Amino acid sequence: MSFTLPELGYTYESLEPHIDATTMTIHHTKHHNTYVTKLNGACSGNAALNGMDLLELNQKVGTDAIPSDQQTNVRNNAGGHWNHSFFWSVLSAPSNTNGPSAELKAAIDGAFGSLDEMKSKFNAAAAGRFGSGWAWLGVQDGKLTVTSTANQDNPLMSTVVGSDACIPILGLDVWEHAYYLKYQNKRPEYINNFWSVVNWDMVNVYYADSVQGKVPKL
């Protein structure tokens, strides 16, 4: 199947001042689009890959379902496409962001003690990710967990095991291209400001689905 760059549910300026329009424009039209283009190239003429959608490609990374000569290609580019598509969906203009649902808030309190404690642990995972990667809030065995992955890996991939495997309900890109134009080397400031543009309505939907074992299908 052929993959396309998803449209955003907001303008590039919508996340100002927390994420600037220039970064959003480059991030979406250049970085994300490159992953889409390279993924289509990997799948072109390959019957094994063409039979899988984006979610399946990510879940099959590291298994025999992905041809050995395309493992790295699919891991990087299917991962990059899924991660970014997911990331755009959990962002919202500051004026539109609400908060966790009663159900999600109860789960956060049960797993972390409070919303602030969850944010603190998430922030630490994002700030502590060496080099490029992602921080995630996800559901594992019905309970919330925080983890991080390197490069364009995500917690859905078979290569991610143990406590790092989960169904993501919130994610943050901590590659330098996601923040460097505005924040330079101040990654913690970018991470703190991220909470001002979280689309909690979407996170609530992902949480409700995840406790039923449903993975976001983007």
Side-chain angles (χ1 to χ4, degrees):
M1 64 185 299
S2 181
F3 300 98
T4 59
L5 184 70
E7 294 185 5
L8 303 182
Y10 41 83
T11 67
Y12 294 130
E13 296 81 11
S14 296
L15 309 182
E16 294 270 13
H18 309 289
I19 302 178
D20 61 286
T22 301
T23 294
M24 282 297 301
T25 302
I26 296 171
H27 200 170
H28 181 243
T29 66
K30 303 298 183 183
H31 291 282
H32 187 176
N33 196 49
T34 296
Y35 292 118
V36 175
T37 300
K38 289 184 176 180
L39 179 59
N40 282 329
C43 294
S44 179
N46 192 309
L49 299 180
N50 270 321
M52 289 184 269
D53 62 20
L54 182 59
L55 176 58
E56 291 172 312
L57 285 170
N58 276 268
Q59 291 174 323
K60 298 298 184 182
V61 164
T63 74
D64 292 340
I66 307 295
S68 58
D69 64 335
Q70 292 295 337
Q71 280 284 350
T72 299
N73 208 355
V74 171
R75 182 175 186 169
N76 291 340
N77 294 299
H81 185 21
W82 193 94
N83 292 354
H84 283 89
S85 299
F86 179 82
F87 184 45
W88 309 138
S89 76
V90 297
L91 298 178
S92 175
S95 58
N96 294 335
T97 188
N98 297 308
S101 64
E103 294 78 11
L104 178 53
K105 181 63 166 57
I108 289 171
D109 290 346
F112 305 103
S114 69
L115 180 60
D116 285 343
E117 284 298 317
M118 182 276 286
K119 289 181 178 180
S120 178
K121 188 168 184 179
F122 185 98
N123 290 0
R129 167 49 58 186
F130 181 78
S132 302
W134 295 75
W136 307 95
L137 174 67
V139 174
Q140 182 188 65
D141 298 327
K143 296 182 179 180
L144 290 172
T145 185
V146 164
T147 189
S148 70
T149 55
N151 301 315
Q152 294 298 349
D153 288 358
N154 62 57
L156 300 172
M157 294 178 174
S158 65
T159 51
V160 176
V161 297
S163 61
D164 292 328
C166 62
I167 298 176
I169 66 170
L170 180 65
L172 175 60
D173 188 346
V174 292
W175 282 63
E176 285 189 345
H177 65 240
Y179 63 87
Y180 210 82
L181 287 179
K182 179 177 177 64
Y183 294 98
Q184 288 81 52
N185 64 332
K186 299 186 287 287
R187 184 192 283 188
E189 184 178 346
Y190 159 70
I191 295 167
N192 287 332
N193 288 343
F194 162 69
W195 296 106
S196 296
V197 292
V198 169
N199 183 353
W200 283 107
D201 291 341
M202 195 73 252
V203 178
N204 292 334
V205 170
Y206 288 152
Y207 174 70
D209 286 345
S210 69
V211 295
Q212 300 179 51
K214 298 178 182 178
V215 178
K217 200 166 186 176
L218 307 168

